[in-house]
Amino acid sequence: MERYVAFDIGDKRIGVAISDPFNTYALPSQTYFRKGFKTDIQALANIVKEKGATAVICGLPVNFDGSDALQTEKTQRFINALKEAVSVPVICEDERFTTMMAHETLIFEGMRREKRKNYVDALAAANILDGYLNRINNKG
């Protein structure tokens, strides 16, 4: 049985989401506050192991037109290091609009700005994972 963990990798925080047992939807899990490159890689590798993930989905930030953004290279470096640290496949997924959608959801729900930053990244990770799950589930 497949189990996916998704990461929305930012400079200060990393959102974490996991798939439901049937891989039909994503559940926001937590927001990890970054401490340092090596520590962060190890913490994420631990999350992957702890959740029993069979694959990792990482959001890759790109510009609206699909070209590489300034953040793309930084995130790609992080993903490459994560690939070395885990024994399961690490898959990149386009993350355009996922954070914006997460912000809109939390604003719609009436969450205050200060509180939103604790949830927005996990919700963005869930949006990334939902996009991936929808794509693989609709192939069949």
Side-chain angles (χ1 to χ4, degrees):
M1 185 68 163
E2 295 290 320
R3 180 65 176 236
Y4 299 100
V5 169
F7 296 123
D8 177 41
I9 303 159
D11 288 333
K12 294 185 176 110
R13 299 178 305 271
I14 297 172
V16 182
I18 56 169
S19 60
D20 73 293
F22 307 103
N23 294 316
T24 47
Y25 59 89
L27 304 157
S29 175
Q30 69 192 82
T31 300
Y32 170 80
F33 290 83
R34 295 190 67 169
K35 294 160 181 70
F37 195 87
K38 283 189 171 141
T39 306
D40 299 343
I41 294 292
Q42 193 52 59
L44 265 54
N46 292 342
I47 290 169
V48 169
K49 199 176 218 156
E50 187 180 290
K51 302 286 185 195
T54 56
V56 177
I57 312 303
C58 290
L60 194 61
V62 292
N63 290 317
F64 288 126
D65 65 3
S67 63
D68 283 1
L70 200 61
Q71 199 66 24
T72 310
E73 200 177 305
K74 264 204 276 193
T75 304
Q76 192 63 66
R77 255 198 316 272
F78 190 89
I79 291 169
N80 291 342
L82 185 61
K83 283 179 180 177
E84 300 290 312
V86 297
S87 57
V88 298
V90 177
I91 301 154
C92 292
E93 181 74 7
D94 183 341
E95 70 163 43
R96 273 179 285 190
F97 311 113
T98 56
T99 300
M100 189 175 69
M101 286 177 358
H103 272 290
E104 285 174 1
T105 300
L106 295 174
I107 289 166
F108 180 76
E109 290 177 359
M111 189 176 286
R112 298 173 64 99
R113 183 189 301 249
E114 314 81 65
K115 219 174 164 190
R116 280 200 307 263
K117 72 170 173 259
N118 294 319
Y119 297 98
V120 73
D121 301 292
L123 197 52
N127 288 338
I128 291 164
L129 184 52
D130 269 331
Y132 177 79
L133 292 172
N134 287 337
R135 213 177 62 249
I136 62 164
N137 291 332
N138 291 330
K139 272 186 181 167

